[in-house]
Amino acid sequence: MPEGATSSAFTPKGLRTNQGADETVRQLLRSLLERGDVEAVLALGRTGTGEEGVAYSLFADPDAFAPDGDARPLLPFMPANGGGLLSRLTLGGALVRPVAAVIRPCELRAFIELMKLNQGSLDNVFLISFTCGGVYPLETAVDGGLDEGMRGYWQGMEQGELDAAVRPTCRACQSFIPERADITVALFGEEHLDRQCTLYLNTERGAAFAQGLEGTAVTGGAEHAAIERSRGERDAFREELFAGVDGGMRGLIQTFGRCIGCHACKTVCPICYCQLCHFDSPDCEREPGYYEAELRRKGGLRVPPDTVFFQLGRMSHIALSCVGCGMCTDVCPADIPVSTIFSKVAASAQATFDYKPGRDLEEEIPLRTFREEEFAQVAT
């Protein structure tokens, strides 16, 4: 059984603390470092004096999680997909000493998908996640406005309402309750987040690492009426968002025709893990004769070529494992709604195979599984 998995003998527990969510999480992480339970903590933190400098960092100093420390573990921001970063940290082999990681549900699911593709190890990785209210686009931090919306964001979280300024894919996300986390921090739709916080200890290790936190035992789970209401609202927004996308070949060609071939979407995508992408390889470099032939045949051609082929090729590779994190749209300089398009195609592909990325480490990715009777109706 992978480290961190729940044994059949373990019963998940709930613990409600008498301090706010941010303070609770900081105290938990600080104690893990002070006791030596973990070597370091992967979490968001400030990189400079201003709030606009935010990045994932490995913190080994407990003081980073002091109230005025540089760590910002619950900040609604995603400068990179944390699942991809965990993959890079463990790609060379299992960690020698435990590391705690505070990541969002979509980042956790991306990490699980990457494990299925042999892109890292779960050993000695302690996973903390939380019920998610989405993240602000990257430009929010670049423009220096990340801190301005915090009060409204957390008020919305308490009421079970999403800020309209978060990424569109966040507003359409149905998988905002983490799965496979050792500890789940209840945030979305939880009242009085500044005065109390509920932790769900999902594994034996999660329960052991939470020792020392004072609080009251609670029963039940992270699901409640506000979350169900939000699911309905997110589903309605999802339908509206997807309705604005022409998923036919003509529509995709028109939309992806704006692509400038920078491949930034591939670079930030956690599921695009190839060391050398085909689209960056010499096989995709065109000889002068190609351009001459195309000029004679068409009378003109766009440069760089094959941008639509790149997008469709990438889509076919990752659709079943796409977690809809929204990183690709955020970095696109041509303002293409890449994540919306990919999420729409992914939703259809995943439904066809009854597959949810990151749901279960043991669940094979359909493209890597052969079933003799699969899609018999197509063969006939």
Side-chain angles (χ1 to χ4, degrees), residues 53-71:
V54 178
Y56 271 113
S57 303
L58 280 170
F59 295 99
D61 184 356
D63 288 342
F65 295 97
D68 58 348
D70 285 337

Side-chain angles (χ1 to χ4, degrees), residues 144 148 263 301 336:
E148 294 178 6
H263 295 182
L301 76 162
I336 300 172

